């Protein structure tokens, strides 16, 4: 359970860092730039701890899939980016793939 909490923390930190990356304006704004550096540092540290308990393929699929979906949502809400039907379908397929991997695959078994 602790490993999944660490993975959720890694995802949250990566999403915060990626969101701040846009706000950093090419690292020309200090505060968002510091959020980027701290966020990615926390994300990779927590991911590295997660990998002690969760297989790398599973952890990375969850991390990247959840991060992709959350960043797309933030883009729509915070940056007024448009997400068309093919984009929503693609993100849905990514989430579905992560769910199938975790719920039905034996890849995560130790």
């Amino acid at each position: 359970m602790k490993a999944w909490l660490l993975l959720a923390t890694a995802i949250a930190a990566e999403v915060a860092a990626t969101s701040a990356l846009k706000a950093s304006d090419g690292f020309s704004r200090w505060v968002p730039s510091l959020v980027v550096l701290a966020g990615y540092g926390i994300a990779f540290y927590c991911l590295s701890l997660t990998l002690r308990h969760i297989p790398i393929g599973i952890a990375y699929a969850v991390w990247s899939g959840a991060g992709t979906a959350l960043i797309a949502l933030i883009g729509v809400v915070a940056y007024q980016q448009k997400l068309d039907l093919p984009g929503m379908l693609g993100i849905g397929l990514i989430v579905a793939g992560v769910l199938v991997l975790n719920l039905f695959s034996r890849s995560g078994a130790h």
Side-chain angles (χ1 to χ4, degrees):
M1 187 65 167
K2 181 180 175 185
W4 289 102
L5 183 59
L6 282 167
L7 183 56
T9 302
I11 292 165
E14 188 268 334
V15 167
T18 301
S19 298
L21 191 58
K22 179 162 177 60
S24 76
D25 195 29
F27 288 101
S28 65
R29 297 179 58 216
W30 283 102
V31 173
S33 297
L34 292 175
V35 172
V36 170
L37 295 174
Y40 283 133
I42 292 167
F44 285 113
Y45 176 70
C46 289
L47 183 60
S48 73
L49 296 178
T50 298
L51 297 178
R52 291 178 176 171
H53 306 284
I54 300 173
I56 191 169
I58 300 295
Y60 192 76
V62 172
W63 186 51
S64 60
T68 298
L70 289 170
I71 287 298
L73 181 62
I74 288 170
V76 169
V77 173
Y79 297 108
Q80 292 73 46
Q81 296 173 345
K82 302 292 182 202
L83 192 58
D84 59 8
L85 185 59
M88 288 186 278
L89 180 61
I91 291 169
L93 289 170
I94 291 169
V95 171
V98 170
L99 288 173
V100 167
L101 186 63
N102 281 290
L103 297 175
F104 302 110
S105 173
R106 294 181 187 220
S107 298
H110 294 289

